[in-house]
Amino acid sequence: DVKVTQSSRYLVKRTGEKVFLECVQDMDHENMFWYRQDPGLGLRLIYFSYDVKMKEKGDIPEGYSVSREKKERFSLILESASTNQTSMYLCASSLPRGQPYGYTFGSGTRLTVV
Amino acid sequence: GESVGLHLPTLSVQEGDNSIINCAYSNSASDYFIWYKQESGKGPQFIIDIRSNMDKRQGQRVTVLLNKTVKHLSLQIAATQPGDSAVYFCAENGGSNYQLIWGAGTKLIIKP
């Protein structure tokens, strides 16, 4: 069964901490994405990557960075966590455009910053 | 701007009835559309997709209809069951090589 795995389901971090959210996919997908999901705001794209070591800003990249050193792993980094980054974070992967490329999502990480 | 929107944020349906969830899109360049289901505490799951060279596609108990003339997409769920309770998202590719444009979601509530 193909899978996108997010390392943590729940995290509680303190304001100012550096936070790493990890995502691993086993489908050999080229594209990977990080979204945050907040009530009433739907899915908002933070960053995406279409290849190893490549990254592109999404709609709300401020306060975040990403790393993609290997094809299967895409990490989201909160350089200095703030309370307004409390949210559900979703990782997804997909094949390149031109192939049946619906996203496969992980189960999400619910991050609380206190 | 480009957007995918839903007409109804919440839909209540009697168990056993058919459900219809609607979605409007605005990007004429979109040629691929997807419906996702998100159950509480889980990530979105793929339900069904459709390309712009089709106007209807059927899956198991689900049908997606695409009307390019009015830029409208709908998801029909036959004989709705309690397990269908979820938030449903439509998405379009907007001509992008990498990204999907997401609707805000519709919450489907099943009445016993």
Side-chain angles (χ1 to χ4, degrees), chain A residues 4 9 17 27 49 66 83 94 104:
Chain A
V4 175
R9 289 299 305 272
E17 276 193 78
M27 295 166 285
S49 168
V66 290
T83 54
S94 76
T104 300

mmCIF file of all heavy atoms in Angstrom, chain A residues 4 9 17 27 49 66 83 94 104:
data_model
loop_
_atom_site.group_PDB
_atom_site.id
_atom_site.type_symbol
_atom_site.label_atom_id
_atom_site.label_comp_id
_atom_site.label_asym_id
_atom_site.label_seq_id
_atom_site.Cartn_x
_atom_site.Cartn_y
_atom_site.Cartn_z
ATOM 1 N N VAL A 4 2.212 8.090 2.244
ATOM 2 C CA VAL A 4 2.928 9.282 2.661
ATOM 3 C C VAL A 4 2.885 9.291 4.177
ATOM 4 O O VAL A 4 1.789 9.264 4.761
ATOM 5 C CB VAL A 4 2.281 10.558 2.083
ATOM 6 C CG1 VAL A 4 2.963 11.802 2.639
ATOM 7 C CG2 VAL A 4 2.356 10.554 0.558
ATOM 8 N N ARG A 9 1.936 12.740 14.722
ATOM 9 C CA ARG A 9 0.524 13.107 14.607
ATOM 10 C C ARG A 9 0.221 14.369 15.402
ATOM 11 O O ARG A 9 -0.584 15.190 14.983
ATOM 12 C CB ARG A 9 -0.373 11.974 15.096
ATOM 13 C CG ARG A 9 -0.417 10.760 14.194
ATOM 14 C CD ARG A 9 -0.947 11.088 12.800
ATOM 15 N NE ARG A 9 -2.241 11.735 12.806
ATOM 16 C CZ ARG A 9 -3.404 11.089 12.814
ATOM 17 N NH1 ARG A 9 -3.428 9.787 12.827
ATOM 18 N NH2 ARG A 9 -4.545 11.749 12.787
ATOM 19 N N GLU A 17 10.918 28.096 19.531
ATOM 20 C CA GLU A 17 11.616 26.858 19.209
ATOM 21 C C GLU A 17 11.736 26.672 17.708
ATOM 22 O O GLU A 17 10.883 27.145 16.936
ATOM 23 C CB GLU A 17 10.861 25.646 19.785
ATOM 24 C CG GLU A 17 11.151 25.333 21.232
ATOM 25 C CD GLU A 17 10.625 23.961 21.616
ATOM 26 O OE1 GLU A 17 11.277 22.953 21.275
ATOM 27 O OE2 GLU A 17 9.550 23.912 22.241
ATOM 28 N N MET A 27 6.498 6.313 -2.963
ATOM 29 C CA MET A 27 5.908 6.108 -4.279
ATOM 30 C C MET A 27 6.818 6.611 -5.403
ATOM 31 O O MET A 27 6.402 6.654 -6.561
ATOM 32 C CB MET A 27 4.557 6.830 -4.345
ATOM 33 C CG MET A 27 3.548 6.227 -3.389
ATOM 34 S SD MET A 27 2.112 7.291 -3.162
ATOM 35 C CE MET A 27 2.793 8.545 -2.099
ATOM 36 N N SER A 49 7.986 21.198 -3.815
ATOM 37 C CA SER A 49 9.256 20.814 -4.427
ATOM 38 C C SER A 49 8.957 19.880 -5.580
ATOM 39 O O SER A 49 8.184 18.931 -5.432
ATOM 40 C CB SER A 49 10.139 20.110 -3.393
ATOM 41 O OG SER A 49 11.248 19.489 -4.017
ATOM 42 N N VAL A 66 12.023 24.894 3.889
ATOM 43 C CA VAL A 66 11.898 23.475 3.577
ATOM 44 C C VAL A 66 13.249 22.925 3.153
ATOM 45 O O VAL A 66 14.172 23.666 2.800
ATOM 46 C CB VAL A 66 10.861 23.200 2.458
ATOM 47 C CG1 VAL A 66 9.439 23.459 2.929
ATOM 48 C CG2 VAL A 66 11.193 24.008 1.213
ATOM 49 N N THR A 83 2.809 31.395 17.963
ATOM 50 C CA THR A 83 1.482 30.845 18.248
ATOM 51 C C THR A 83 0.572 30.859 17.019
ATOM 52 O O THR A 83 -0.315 30.003 16.892
ATOM 53 C CB THR A 83 0.811 31.622 19.392
ATOM 54 O OG1 THR A 83 0.789 33.022 19.076
ATOM 55 C CG2 THR A 83 1.572 31.428 20.706
ATOM 56 N N SER A 94 2.994 13.848 -5.418
ATOM 57 C CA SER A 94 2.309 13.545 -6.670
ATOM 58 C C SER A 94 3.332 13.299 -7.777
ATOM 59 O O SER A 94 4.503 13.686 -7.667
ATOM 60 C CB SER A 94 1.377 14.692 -7.078
ATOM 61 O OG SER A 94 2.110 15.782 -7.603
ATOM 62 N N THR A 104 -1.366 12.344 -3.086
ATOM 63 C CA THR A 104 -1.537 11.429 -1.961
ATOM 64 C C THR A 104 -1.096 12.173 -0.716
ATOM 65 O O THR A 104 0.021 12.694 -0.672
ATOM 66 C CB THR A 104 -0.711 10.148 -2.151
ATOM 67 O OG1 THR A 104 -1.127 9.488 -3.349
ATOM 68 C CG2 THR A 104 -0.910 9.208 -0.974
#
